[in-house]
Amino acid sequence: MDLLEIAVAAPLENTLTYRLPPNLLNTELCQEPLVGRRVLVPLGRRKVTGYVLATGMEDSKEFKIKNISEILDAAPLFPENLIPLFRWISEYYHYPIGEVIKSALPGGLTPKSARQLQAGSASGEKLQDILRSIALGTGEGKDHRDVESYLLKLSQNGKLTSAETKEIFKSKKVKKYIDSLVADGVLEMHESVSGGTSKEKHEICYSLTAEPAGLEGLPGSGKDAISIYRARLNRQNNLSLGVAEAKTMYYLELLRGNSEKGAVPRKELLASYSGAGKQLQSLIASGMVVEERRRVFRSPLGEQLEFFPAPEVLTEEQQAALAEIVPAVEKGGYSPFLLHGVTGSGKTEVYLQATAVTLSLGKSVLVIVPEIALATQLETHFISRFGENVVLLHSGLTAGEKFDQWSLVVSGEARIVIGARSAIFAPFKDLGLIVVDEEHDGGLKQDDKLRYNGRDLAVVRARQQQCTVLLASATPSVVSYYNAQIGKYNLLTMKNRVGNRPLPKVNIIDLRQKARGGKKSIFRPPLQKALVDNLERGKQSVIFINRRGFSVNVICQECGTPVECVDCHVSLTLHRSKQQLLCHYCGYSVHERTVCENCSSTSMVPVGFGTERVEEELRALVPEARIARLDADTAFDRKVFLETLKKTRAGEIDILVGTQMVAKGHHFPGVTLVGVVWADAGLSIPDYRAAERTFQLVTQVTGRAGRGDDPGEVYIQTMRPDHYALLYARGHRYEELVERELELRRNPKFPPYVRMVAIHIHGESEDRVVDSAMKVAQVCKALLQQPLPGSSAQGSRDANNTLGSAEVLGPAPSPIDRVKKKYRWQVMIKTESLNILHGICNYIHQHQNELAARDCRLLLDVDPENMM
C-alpha cells in the first residue's frame, strides 16, 4: 500500500516508484482510493506532478525510494479503467506515459516546484560590497557584470521571481557564482509550487433553519407584504425581528423556491435585496439561517440552445441499423460498427436512439466529432433529448469550464460526453457506447505533441472496456471501409435520405474554358445564374471555398516575388477586413500595404481568392442578398458561430459563404443550392489520399443541398473536370471511389495494405537538419537488413533476412520545409509488419540524442494523416 507506481508529468519513458510517508498514510486523504489521483513528487532537484497508477509495488534494494511530497486530490481524477488505455497510447505512439496523462486531463492540473532566489540572512553590507565591486570592476565582482541587474533587484526587493531565477541559472558560469553566494549565506534558494490553475469554483449560499412563515396570501411584494410577512414570522417563531431582518428572511424564502437545492447564493440574494448583507450575520448567530460553501459548475453552453423534437417515426434504414446496434449494446462486449449513411439519411437520430438504450441500461455514452463546430451542432440535438445528462469536452472551453465538465463525468452526474478528439479520455467508469461522427475526417488526428488518432483510440478503448463503438460517415475513410470488407467492422448502410428526398443534382463547370466577354469573376455564368435564380425563388445557397482570407497570396507586379512569412516558407494570405497579410502557420503579420523584399517596389497585387474575396464578389453580384461568412476568422466566438447557424436554419441568411466548417454535419432545410468555387485545391497536395479527401469534401458540402422539401442542385467549378474523384462525387458513387483507391494503393503499397510512420526532423540550422535526416534514413535502412530487438515478425523476411515489403522513403524536405523558423525534413517508413514498424520506432526513440544533431528534434508520427 505504501509503495506507489507513479507516472510523472515529464519526458520519462518509464513509471517510477515512490513511498507514501507515514504522515500521509493515516490521514483522511488516504481513505479514498489513491489510483487516479495526482501527487507532488521530487524529481531531481525539483518537484513535479505525478499520477498514481498502482499501489502495493515491490520494494527495490537497488536504489533508494523517495517519499511523495503531497497528495493533490481528495478523490481520483480518472478511473482505473483508463490506465490500460494510457499505457497502450504510450507504447503505440512512443510518448512518455506521464505526458500522455497530462494531455488527457483538463489543462491547469500540473503544478510543479519553482526555485526562487532571495536575499540571505548574511546579505546586508556583503551584497552592497559585491555591487560596488561590480560597478568598479574590481575585486570579487570584476568578472560578474552580467548578474549586476539581478543582484541590484535582490538588494531592493529582497527576492527574484521564479522566471528571473530560471533565467539567471542558464549560464554555467553565472550558476557557479550564484551557488557560491548561496553557500556563503548572501543568497538563499527557496522552493515554491506553481501551476495548477484549474480549481473548483465555489459560492456562499444560505438556507433557512427556522420554520418558514410562508408567502401565501401576501399582497404583492411591497412594504405591506413585508410588514405582514414580518408579523407572521415573529408570531410563528416567537421572535421580535426588525424590518431589515424580516425582509432578508422574506427574500431567502422567496428565492429558495427557485433553487433546486433549496440554498440561495449570496450573489442572488444581494441582487434582490442589497441590505441583506448586514442582516445575515445576526440571523446566522440566532440560528435562523445557516451559511454553506457550495461548489458551482461553470457551464460552457451560455445561451439557450434550439430545441429539436424526436421524429414521430424512423425510416426503415434507421430501424435496420438500430436492429444491429441495440442488441450489441444490450449484450455488452466489444462490437465495432461502421455506419455508411448518405448525407441526410438520419445518422444523428440513430446515435440518439442508441444513446437512449445505453442510458436505460445504466451505462454511459461518448460522442466524438472531428472539430468543435460539429460538437456545437450535435450538442443541440443531444441536449434537446437528454438535458443535463450532457456535458462538453473540447479545447474551446476555458480551463475552468473543462475542469468542471470533467468533474461532472468523474462524479457520475453526467452520462453523455460530446467533444472533439480529446474527449476520448472522458473519465467514464461504465462506457456502453462510443460514437465517432465523421470518422473519415483528418481533424480526429492530433498533429503535434502526442500525435494520436481519436477514431483509432475509440476502437481501442471500446475493445479494452468491452463496449459498442459506432464509426459513422457519409464518406468513410478508405481504410475503415476496407476494415469492414475484411470483417474487422460490421458494415451498416443507409443509402436513402429521410423522406426519400433525392440526392442533389451535381453539375461540373470546366474552368479551362474561358468565360466569354464581360468582367472576370470568381463565379462562372452557370453558377451566377443559379445564385440569382435561387435568390429570386426565396431559397438559400451555400458557397464553399476551402481558403480563408481575401486572396491566397500577394505578389510584386515588378518582379513577381510573392510576399512570404519571415519565419515560414509559405506565402502570406491577405485578410482585407484586418488590413493585414497573415501567416496561417505561425501568425506572423504585416500591413497589407507592404514593400517587395526583392526589389522594394510598392506595386503589390493580390492573387487567388479566399472566403473574404468570395463574399465581396457575392455582394456585388447580388447586392440585395443577406450574406454571412463562416471561417476561422468569423467563428472564433462561439456566440457568433451559433447565431450564424441559427439564422441560417431560420431562413434569415440567403447565402452562407464558408470553409469546410460549413461542409459537414449541418442541417439547413432551406438550402437548395451549393456552389464549390474551386474544387482543385486538395488535388494538388502531395499526399496519396488527395483524391479521397477531395471526394469526401465535395460530397460532404454537396450534402448540404436539398435536405428540406425542395430538391437540391450543386455546381462544382474545376480545372480538372475529368478527375475520377470529381466524377464519382458528381454521381454519388462512393463504392467505386473505394475500389479505385484500393487498386491504386496496391502498387506502390499504401494504407490499408501497409502501416506507416513519419519521422520528422526539425531545427533552426538547415545543414544540421539535413545531416540528421540523412543519418536517420541510413539507420532505418540498416535496421531493415537485420533482426530488430523485440520484433516477432521474422517470418515475413526473405532468405537474405531482409523485410521485402518494407520501404524507406527519403530523406526529403517536408512539402512545407520551414515553419516558425525551423527547417523540416522527414523520413517515411512503410511495412506490412506492425512489429517491424515499432521495432524501428523504439530504436529511433532510444537513440534520438545520437541521431539528431545539436538543436534538432526527432518527432515520431505513427499512422500519419498530414503529409505536409
Side-chain angles (χ1 to χ4, degrees):
M1 169 63 181
D2 64 330
L3 292 182
L4 311 177
E5 181 188 10
I6 306 288
V8 295
L12 296 181
E13 302 308 312
N14 302 313
T15 57
L16 304 174
T17 301
Y18 286 88
R19 191 183 304 278
L20 192 64
N23 66 310
L24 292 176
L25 187 58
N26 299 316
T27 62
E28 287 186 15
L29 280 172
C30 290
Q31 301 307 308
E32 290 283 334
L34 287 170
V35 173
R37 287 204 259 174
R38 295 173 305 143
V39 292
L40 200 63
V41 296
L43 185 67
R45 298 177 61 181
R46 58 193 177 121
K47 291 180 181 177
V48 299
T49 302
Y51 311 99
V52 182
L53 302 186
T55 59
M57 305 299 292
E58 291 186 7
D59 202 345
S60 173
K61 306 300 181 184
E62 298 180 14
F63 52 86
K64 182 181 178 181
I65 297 178
K66 296 180 180 180
N67 290 339
I68 70 167
S69 303
E70 186 180 346
I71 299 175
L72 297 173
D73 303 306
L77 269 181
F78 54 86
E80 195 168 353
N81 66 12
L82 265 182
I83 294 173
L85 182 65
F86 294 148
R87 296 188 194 275
W88 187 94
I89 292 169
S90 177
E91 293 175 6
Y92 188 83
Y93 291 107
H94 303 275
Y95 204 76
I97 187 169
E99 298 285 317
V100 169
I101 301 173
K102 178 183 175 182
S103 300
L105 295 177
L109 292 177
T110 50
K112 58 185 177 181
S113 64
R115 294 186 297 167
Q116 192 175 25
L117 273 174
Q118 297 183 8
S121 56
S123 59
E125 280 299 318
K126 178 66 174 174
L127 189 54
Q128 296 301 321
D129 290 343
I130 293 172
L131 284 168
R132 278 193 291 269
S133 67
I134 291 175
L136 296 171
T138 60
E140 184 180 347
K142 66 180 180 180
D143 297 323
H144 298 292
R145 184 170 291 278
D146 44 2
V147 295
E148 181 179 15
S149 61
Y150 292 108
L151 294 179
L152 184 62
K153 188 169 184 179
L154 275 163
S155 70
Q156 294 171 344
N157 302 336
K159 62 182 180 181
L160 297 179
T161 65
S162 300
E164 290 167 336
T165 303
K166 185 177 180 180
E167 185 68 27
I168 205 173
F169 274 94
K170 285 184 177 180
S171 165
K172 290 183 179 180
K173 178 184 174 184
V174 171
K175 179 181 180 300
K176 186 176 180 181
Y177 179 58
I178 294 297
D179 284 342
S180 69
L181 296 181
V182 171
D184 292 342
V186 177
L187 303 178
E188 292 178 357
M189 185 68 74
H190 291 262
E191 196 173 78
S192 62
V193 176
S194 63
T197 54
S198 290
K199 295 180 175 65
E200 295 181 0
K201 183 179 180 180
H202 294 85
E203 65 182 1
I204 302 300
C205 298
Y206 299 98
S207 302
L208 293 174
T209 53
E211 183 180 348
L215 305 178
E216 300 81 5
L218 295 180
S221 59
K223 290 183 178 180
D224 291 342
I226 300 297
S227 179
I228 296 172
Y229 176 83
R230 177 191 174 199
R232 185 186 297 176
L233 184 66
N234 283 335
R235 182 175 63 252
Q236 188 170 294
N237 292 280
N238 194 24
L239 297 169
S240 56
L241 296 178
V243 173
E245 289 176 312
K247 191 173 182 179
T248 301
M249 292 289 289
Y250 167 82
Y251 276 105
L252 276 172
E253 192 165 343
L254 177 67
L255 294 171
R256 76 169 191 161
N258 301 323
S259 173
E260 294 179 3
K261 298 184 178 180
V264 178
R266 179 182 178 88
K267 184 178 179 181
E268 190 176 336
L269 176 61
L270 294 181
S272 299
Y273 174 41
S274 59
K278 297 179 181 179
Q279 314 305 322
L280 283 167
Q281 293 307 313
S282 62
L283 291 170
I284 292 170
S286 65
M288 299 190 67
V289 173
V290 64
E291 181 180 279
E292 61 177 304
R293 192 165 179 263
R294 188 175 68 184
R295 183 171 182 185
V296 180
F297 290 94
R298 290 154 282 206
S299 172
L301 294 176
E303 68 294 319
Q304 181 69 37
L305 299 175
E306 293 179 73
F307 180 78
F308 289 88
E312 295 181 3
V313 294
L314 300 180
T315 67
E316 290 183 4
E317 289 183 328
Q318 287 174 328
Q319 293 176 29
L322 288 166
E324 298 283 336
I325 299 167
V326 168
V329 172
E330 292 175 336
K331 181 182 177 182
Y334 172 60
S335 296
F337 291 94
L338 176 64
L339 175 58
H340 174 212
V342 299
T343 55
S345 60
K347 295 185 292 295
T348 299
E349 187 58 34
V350 173
Y351 311 158
L352 293 165
Q353 296 281 340
T355 295
V357 172
T358 307
L359 294 182
S360 71
L361 297 171
K363 296 185 177 180
S364 302
V365 177
L366 175 56
V367 182
I368 305 291
V369 294
E371 56 190 60
I372 297 172
L374 289 176
T376 305
Q377 174 75 8
L378 272 181
E379 75 192 36
T380 57
H381 290 276
F382 274 83
I383 291 172
S384 295
R385 199 74 57 90
F386 304 109
E388 293 185 357
N389 261 316
V390 182
V391 298
L392 309 178
L393 285 176
H394 54 67
S395 60
L397 309 182
T398 65
E401 288 172 344
K402 192 170 184 180
F403 177 62
D404 284 350
Q405 300 282 284
W406 181 277
S407 300
L408 288 169
V409 181
V410 171
S411 67
E413 291 185 50
R415 308 299 300 279
I416 302 169
V417 163
I418 300 174
R421 56 180 177 258
S422 62
I424 190 60
F425 302 113
F428 285 123
K429 300 174 185 175
D430 52 0
L431 262 178
L433 174 67
I434 304 176
V435 176
V436 182
D437 190 36
E438 308 293 357
E439 68 85 34
H440 69 278
D441 198 287
L444 290 166
K445 177 68 185 277
Q446 173 89 4
D447 258 342
D448 59 357
K449 298 182 180 178
L450 173 57
R451 298 177 178 231
Y452 66 92
N453 190 306
R455 176 198 60 211
D456 297 345
L457 291 191
V459 175
V460 173
R461 186 168 184 183
R463 185 170 61 238
Q464 288 182 347
Q465 300 185 11
Q466 292 295 291
C467 69
T468 298
V469 58
L470 175 62
L471 312 180
S473 174
T475 54
S477 70
V478 169
V479 171
S480 292
Y481 200 82
Y482 176 79
N483 286 335
Q485 288 180 331
I486 63 175
K488 288 182 69 174
Y489 302 153
N490 303 305
L491 181 62
L492 307 172
T493 57
M494 295 166 60
K495 297 183 177 181
N496 300 296
R497 286 183 156 188
V498 173
N500 289 317
R501 297 182 179 93
L503 288 167
K505 177 187 175 183
V506 180
N507 307 283
I508 292 182
I509 300 174
D510 188 351
L511 292 177
R512 295 174 302 181
Q513 298 177 3
K514 293 184 178 180
R516 296 179 181 177
K519 183 182 177 182
K520 287 186 177 180
S521 171
I522 291 173
F523 307 102
R524 287 298 171 89
L527 181 51
Q528 289 184 17
K529 184 177 186 305
L531 282 165
V532 173
D533 291 347
N534 205 49
L535 184 64
E536 289 177 352
R537 289 195 298 267
K539 303 302 179 182
Q540 294 173 284
S541 304
V542 168
I543 297 298
F544 172 76
I545 172 71
N546 207 23
R547 291 170 173 169
R548 61 190 173 104
F550 184 84
S551 70
V552 179
N553 49 39
V554 171
I555 66 170
C556 174
Q557 268 188 315
E558 301 294 331
C559 67
T561 302
V563 181
E564 290 191 338
C565 176
V566 296
D567 298 327
C568 312
H569 280 173
V570 295
S571 299
L572 297 183
T573 300
L574 173 61
H575 289 251
R576 183 152 286 175
S577 61
K578 299 179 181 178
Q579 296 184 316
Q580 286 183 324
L581 293 165
L582 287 174
C583 175
H584 289 172
Y585 285 85
C586 72
Y588 170 80
S589 66
V590 296
H591 194 275
E592 65 174 330
R593 294 181 180 176
T594 189
V595 176
C596 177
E597 290 284 335
N598 184 52
C599 68
S600 300
S601 170
T602 57
S603 300
M604 314 300 288
V605 292
V607 177
F609 46 85
T611 49
E612 281 188 27
R613 168 87 177 277
V614 170
E615 181 185 9
E616 182 179 281
E617 286 214 13
L618 276 172
R619 294 191 185 280
L621 177 66
V622 280
E624 70 277 20
R626 297 167 296 178
I627 299 171
R629 175 163 54 92
L630 270 184
D631 54 24
D633 296 327
T634 62
F636 66 92
D637 187 322
R638 172 186 166 86
K639 291 182 179 179
V640 173
F641 178 74
L642 286 177
E643 184 64 22
T644 303
L645 294 182
K646 184 177 179 181
K647 285 184 176 180
T648 304
R649 280 194 289 270
E652 298 174 17
I653 290 173
D654 298 315
I655 303 176
L656 180 64
V657 180
T659 56
Q660 59 181 330
M661 65 173 57
V662 305
K664 297 166 287 189
H666 301 295
H667 180 68
F668 303 134
V671 171
T672 57
L673 175 67
V674 167
V676 180
V677 176
W678 174 255
D680 304 330
L683 291 174
S684 59
I685 293 175
D687 190 325
Y688 70 93
R689 285 161 303 195
E692 176 190 359
R693 287 176 171 168
T694 298
F695 173 90
Q696 289 166 339
L697 198 51
V698 170
T699 300
Q700 291 284 345
V701 73
T702 293
R704 297 318 104 203
R707 298 170 74 100
D709 297 330
D710 298 303
E713 191 167 12
V714 179
Y715 287 84
I716 299 173
Q717 299 187 156
T718 174
M719 294 287 290
R720 304 175 72 179
D722 299 325
H723 195 284
Y724 69 89
L726 298 178
L727 293 176
Y728 290 149
R730 179 183 190 179
H732 312 289
R733 294 148 58 191
Y734 170 78
E735 287 81 3
E736 292 180 54
L737 180 280
V738 172
E739 290 177 13
R740 180 72 172 267
E741 283 295 309
L742 289 175
E743 182 62 33
L744 290 171
R745 297 182 195 185
R746 285 191 179 96
N747 186 25
K749 287 188 175 181
F750 280 101
Y753 300 113
V754 291
R755 306 299 289 268
M756 296 180 65
V757 64
I759 306 171
H760 299 281
I761 303 95
H762 297 172
E764 294 188 4
S765 166
E766 186 173 15
D767 290 340
R768 287 197 287 269
V769 168
V770 173
D771 289 344
S772 300
M774 294 289 186
K775 190 179 293 185
V776 168
Q778 290 170 1
V779 166
C780 290
K781 291 172 182 176
L783 287 172
L784 290 176
Q785 303 301 316
Q786 58 189 356
L788 286 165
S791 172
S792 60
Q794 303 303 315
S796 61
R797 295 176 181 274
D798 61 23
N800 296 319
N801 198 37
T802 62
L803 190 64
S805 63
E807 187 177 1
V808 177
L809 305 178
S814 301
I816 300 176
D817 64 344
R818 188 168 182 253
V819 172
K820 298 180 180 178
K821 297 183 180 180
K822 296 188 183 299
Y823 291 92
R824 297 148 45 97
W825 276 56
Q826 60 190 31
V827 176
M828 305 288 294
I829 302 170
K830 300 191 298 184
T831 175
E832 295 175 20
S833 168
L834 195 57
N835 287 328
I836 294 296
L837 195 73
H838 285 297
I840 293 174
C841 287
N842 283 330
Y843 185 91
I844 297 296
H845 193 60
Q846 292 166 9
H847 296 83
Q848 56 183 320
N849 291 335
E850 304 161 28
L851 295 171
R854 179 170 52 89
D855 301 331
C856 291
R857 287 188 64 204
L858 291 183
L859 304 169
L860 294 173
D861 187 1
V862 181
D863 302 328
E865 282 284 328
N866 184 359
M867 297 298 174
M868 301 300 287

